[in-house]
Amino acid sequence: MKKVELLAPAGDLERLKMAIVYGADAVYIGGQIFGLRASAKNFSLEDMKAGIEFAHERGKKVYVTLNIIPHNDDLNELPDYLSKLEEIGVDAVILSDPGTLMYVKEYIPNMEVHLSTQANNTNYMSANFWHKQGIKRVVLARELSLKEMKEIREKTDDDLEFEAFIHGAMCISYSGRCLLSNYMTNRDANKGDCAQSCRWNYYLVEEKRPGEYYKVEENEKGTYFFNSKDLCMIEHLDKVIESGIYSLKIEGRMKSAYYVANIVSVYRKAIDTYYRDKENFKFNPKWLDEIKKASHRDFSTGFYFQRPTHTEQHYGSSSYVRDYDFIGVVLDYDSETKLATVEQRNRIFRGEEVEIMGPSIENFNQTIEVMLNDKNEAIQVAPHAKQIIKIKMDTPVEKYYIFRRPRKDD
């Protein structure tokens, strides 16, 4: 069995680079059309080409989403777009619509095709059908158990790959095909414009008692009974790998560069630990502690072990837990002066202790004693977004290392 792929989301070029540097084997991205994340920055063709070159230089892959559920007018731009994707070297496209697949087979017949979770593939007969249509990989529906995934793997051709989500937000609707946003805000989730209506607070109204609002659970702000917990399989990674799933997918093209780096780095460490000694692999609680340093909701294992119950919903709040601030990213380091050039993301103060994380290193702390502005003048605080500063480092750092700190109350 070949080593599993760690697949990461990337909403823009910076996040693509972070994902690759911090250990992703492949990334999935959206262009400015045909993807399901209209609110993400997404990639121009120019940025897409730059990202593909960055990934390929490091032996990594880039997959592009074409997974909207298109109407007639949406198809007009597709042939030209497909040709451009092939020209810039995309490794695979991800789609859910049979019509889109027909266009791909006609205009770029040599392109590898992955079937999106939007196609809600939940059984081996469906997987075999799609494989016969030319699908190389099926992204399994989130609604499957580990047992069902294993059976699908056993009853399909060996050269058909399977991909499954292991981390990130869960949708209340089947495989993400939701109409709630469309109905309430006229924003179509199936065309990439979801308003995340499931995260809003709600009250219950009985038909014969109009105007009388009942709380389903005690909370002064309302009830978030559509609000599912986040998926997190870090504690059960060995079971997922041994099920025969090839690609382990992290959700979150809307997430920050810091989130991508943090989550990817933890799963990279866990996967590599598993392959170093499969027989004695054990979950390391430090991995979960590290994951919690990125924004998150409470975690669950989704459908992997049982059908979710009421305990898999977060009734108290739709907010994320954000215990750490991303305060800067290293752009360069001068070994002679021991000064790191840092692009600031949140205010940085001289005298405060920060934590530094990077790919393949143990995180370490340092107190900022010397901080300079772009004129090499000593400063006490860097308050401006994306201000370029220099910080004296006792320990050498490299490009893409991240500065963070426990969140401070404003």
Side-chain angles (χ1 to χ4, degrees), residues 94-360:
I94 307 168
L95 54 80
S96 60
D97 173 63
T100 304
L101 175 60
M102 290 177 68
Y103 265 120
V104 169
K105 291 170 74 172
E106 179 178 353
Y107 289 97
I108 49 173
N110 296 319
M111 178 64 67
E112 184 172 307
V113 183
H114 299 175
L115 186 72
S116 169
T117 190
Q118 287 286 109
N120 49 279
N121 197 115
T122 58
N123 64 78
Y124 58 85
M125 287 297 290
S126 179
N128 282 324
F129 166 82
W130 283 111
H131 188 37
K132 289 178 181 178
Q133 309 313 308
I135 296 295
K136 170 67 173 176
R137 179 186 299 182
V138 170
V139 186
L140 292 172
R142 287 179 175 91
E143 294 79 17
L144 289 174
S145 68
L146 202 59
K147 180 180 177 182
E148 290 174 306
M149 291 179 184
K150 288 180 181 178
E151 185 176 9
I152 290 173
R153 173 69 284 173
E154 291 166 358
K155 294 183 177 181
T156 50
D157 292 342
D158 289 343
D159 59 345
L160 175 60
E161 297 175 353
F162 291 101
E163 179 179 304
F165 285 92
I166 58 166
H167 194 93
M170 296 283 283
C171 186
I172 65 159
S173 292
Y174 210 79
S175 296
R177 300 178 77 155
C178 184
L179 292 175
L180 190 62
S181 171
N182 202 337
Y183 180 77
M184 300 184 74
T185 68
N186 202 33
R187 289 173 53 180
D188 192 345
N190 297 317
K191 296 182 75 174
D193 201 23
C194 183
Q196 291 200 316
S197 307
C198 60
R199 307 301 183 192
W200 300 349
N201 56 320
Y202 292 88
Y203 290 86
L204 183 66
V205 179
E206 198 275 325
E207 179 183 9
K208 295 181 180 179
R209 296 173 175 82
E212 297 183 31
Y213 299 93
Y214 299 90
K215 294 180 182 179
V216 180
E217 293 283 336
E218 288 298 324
N219 185 281
E220 69 279 1
K221 296 180 180 178
T223 299
Y224 304 87
F225 52 81
F226 295 136
N227 185 34
S228 58
K229 294 180 179 179
D230 283 356
L231 176 66
C232 178
M233 290 299 291
I234 192 66
E235 296 184 52
H236 310 282
L237 199 61
D238 53 336
K239 297 181 180 67
V240 179
I241 294 173
E242 289 162 9
S243 73
I245 300 300
Y246 169 64
S247 183
L248 310 186
K249 188 172 192 173
I250 297 167
E251 185 276 339
R253 279 194 287 136
M254 300 289 289
K255 300 292 189 180
S256 69
Y258 167 61
Y259 177 94
V260 171
N262 178 281
I263 303 302
V264 167
S265 67
V266 175
Y267 278 96
R268 178 79 275 153
K269 290 173 185 175
I271 291 170
D272 291 347
T273 299
Y274 170 82
Y275 281 102
R276 277 197 296 270
D277 189 356
K278 299 178 185 179
E279 299 298 323
N280 298 304
F281 175 81
K282 290 183 179 179
F283 162 69
N284 185 339
K286 290 183 179 179
W287 297 335
L288 185 56
D289 292 341
E290 183 67 16
I291 279 176
K292 289 181 178 179
K293 291 181 180 179
S295 63
H296 64 279
R297 298 183 181 92
D298 290 342
F299 292 127
S300 82
T301 55
F303 290 78
Y304 273 95
F305 300 110
Q306 63 183 19
R307 290 188 179 277
T309 67
H310 67 282
T311 62
E312 305 304 306
Q313 301 296 111
H314 197 313
Y315 296 100
S317 171
S318 64
S319 299
Y320 284 95
V321 178
R322 293 182 173 90
D323 292 332
Y324 273 70
D325 284 326
F326 172 30
I327 59 174
V329 59
V330 175
L331 302 179
D332 194 16
Y333 178 73
D334 188 324
S335 57
E336 293 186 6
T337 63
K338 296 185 177 181
L339 287 173
T341 303
V342 176
E343 184 181 81
Q344 173 260 19
R345 298 301 174 90
N346 273 292
R347 288 177 298 173
I348 304 177
F349 299 89
R350 191 179 75 83
E352 73 174 336
E353 185 178 61
V354 298
E355 182 179 359
I356 294 91
M357 62 173 284
S360 305

